[in-house]
Amino acid sequence: MCGIVGLHLREPSLYPQLGALLTDMLGQMCDRGPDSAGMAIYGDKAWSKVGESTVSLLDCPVPATELAATLSASLDTTVTGFDLDPTTILHGVVGAADLATAVRSVVPSARVIGFGDDLTVLKGVGNPIDLANRFGLPSASGWQGVAHTRMATESAVTAEGSHPFSVGPDQCLVHNGSFSNHMSIKHQLERDGVAFDSANDTEVGARFVAKQLAEGVDLEKALLMLNETFDGFYTLLVSTADSFAVVRDAISCKPAVIAETDQWVAMASEYRALANLPGVDNARIFEPEPEEVYVWHR
Ligand SMILES: NC(=O)CC[C@H](N)C(=O)O
């Protein structure tokens, strides 16, 4: 199984409700993936400070304030941070990739799970709704959010193995299914210099997409390339600094439903996760077609 939910808001008056709406959607998908969960929020002003970059990390061996002080000294700028156990969030007036690189060198045992200008990633092991409440997701605001409840198929139940996989700036990818040829693709990516953090199949998909985007390929084309390259079962939701995209494999046995109104676009593994969205009764609701790439831009 695994449960996916995502919400791309078009109507700014709904931004303050993003976290509450996403928490309700996630709660409906708990039984599809009770092992662990993760969420990515775009545009929450406390989690992703305006004018600063944000780095999300797991398993930080020191308190966030201590790490922030060390980073402030080494980068010669003010870095601030706070802990949302087991995730740590850092902010700084420095490029997101530079902040992530500095974090990796100061605390090599910690795992960077997201970086960008607008994105915060939170992950953990346990009941998804307990995690969401512990992180404070219901009171988060923003313009786009993605969440995932995991039933592991390809790697251990750890926070690192939970989704989203966020391996490029402001990017994130969540997956329901399992790839079947990911090891050969992983070896090719490694030969091309791509490093991996986990043994998870989904990370290979995320690294593949991130590599295409870094090379200037647009998101739609990157997902068409993924269709041509990956075998196996997949429903994927991919988000970037300005986009929200869905793609499924040729068989499409992993469920997905999309609902769209003038105010929002939403995607979930099952309709019940969409049933409480405002205005859903008038939404255009459809099942995404096999191997068709759906992309919405901000
Ligand atoms: N149940 C799933 O959809 C699992 C997704 C992915 N293969 C993982 O192990 O994390």
Side-chain angles (χ1 to χ4, degrees):
M1 293 230 272
C2 277
I4 296 175
V5 298
L7 184 58
H8 171 95
L9 295 176
R10 292 170 157 156
E11 170 52 53
S13 67
L14 289 173
Y15 292 179
Q17 294 181 51
L18 176 73
L21 294 170
L22 201 67
T23 304
D24 182 76
M25 295 170 77
L26 179 72
Q28 298 296 331
M29 294 294 98
C30 278
D31 56 353
R32 291 188 62 89
D35 293 346
S36 57
M39 49 221 78
I41 295 288
Y42 291 79
D44 181 89
K45 301 277 187 290
W47 285 349
S48 304
K49 285 191 186 170
V50 177
E52 300 190 25
S53 62
T54 300
V55 169
S56 310
L57 67 158
L58 275 176
D59 302 329
C60 184
V62 296
T65 47
E66 193 181 314
L67 175 58
T70 307
L71 290 165
S72 297
S74 68
L75 291 167
D76 196 20
T77 187
T78 301
V79 176
T80 55
F82 57 94
D83 292 306
L84 283 173
D85 182 43
T87 306
T88 298
I89 309 297
L90 296 163
H91 300 127
V93 187
V94 56
D98 291 341
L99 184 55
T101 300
V103 168
R104 288 189 188 98
S105 87
V106 173
V107 282
S109 65
R111 186 74 68 214
V112 172
I113 56 166
F115 65 99
D117 295 333
D118 208 20
L119 171 72
T120 303
V121 179
L122 300 158
K123 297 188 192 190
V125 172
N127 176 279
I129 211 67
D130 291 347
L131 287 166
N133 286 327
R134 204 170 82 213
F135 292 146
L137 182 66
S139 49
S141 61
W143 62 272
Q144 178 164 276
V146 169
H148 186 269
T149 64
R150 182 176 184 225
M151 187 174 283
T153 64
E154 302 301 318
S155 66
V157 179
T158 58
E160 283 86 356
S162 62
H163 307 204
F165 281 91
S166 175
V167 301
D170 289 302
Q171 294 166 26
C172 105
L173 181 147
V174 295
H175 176 200
N176 176 202
S178 48
F179 295 127
S180 55
N181 63 341
H182 56 283
M183 288 311 292
S184 52
I185 299 166
K186 180 174 185 174
H187 292 145
Q188 182 58 53
L189 287 169
E190 285 173 333
R191 283 193 288 275
D192 292 344
V194 176
F196 284 79
D197 286 335
S198 77
N200 188 277
D201 60 329
T202 306
E203 184 183 353
V204 184
R207 297 268 175 206
F208 178 89
V209 171
K211 183 169 187 290
Q212 310 315 322
L213 297 180
E215 289 171 1
V217 173
D218 70 32
L219 182 57
E220 181 170 7
K221 172 85 170 119
L223 295 178
L224 289 169
M225 291 168 73
L226 182 145
N227 278 345
E228 286 165 10
T229 310
F230 283 74
D231 294 330
F233 300 125
Y234 54 89
T235 286
L236 300 174
L237 175 58
V238 181
S239 55
T240 69
D242 64 359
S243 304
F244 184 83
V246 176
V247 65
R248 300 168 87 194
D249 67 84
I251 308 290
S252 286
C253 62
K254 297 298 176 189
V257 58
I258 293 171
E260 184 171 12
T261 72
D262 290 346
Q263 300 200 312
W264 45 259
V265 180
M267 180 270 170
S269 298
E270 298 179 42
Y271 175 75
R272 62 193 156 115
L274 308 176
N276 295 328
L277 287 171
V280 73
D281 290 346
N282 298 316
R284 183 172 80 93
I285 297 172
F286 61 100
E287 189 181 346
E289 297 290 333
E291 290 197 311
E292 189 157 326
V293 176
Y294 298 81
V295 187
W296 293 265
H297 299 288
R298 200 176 182 191

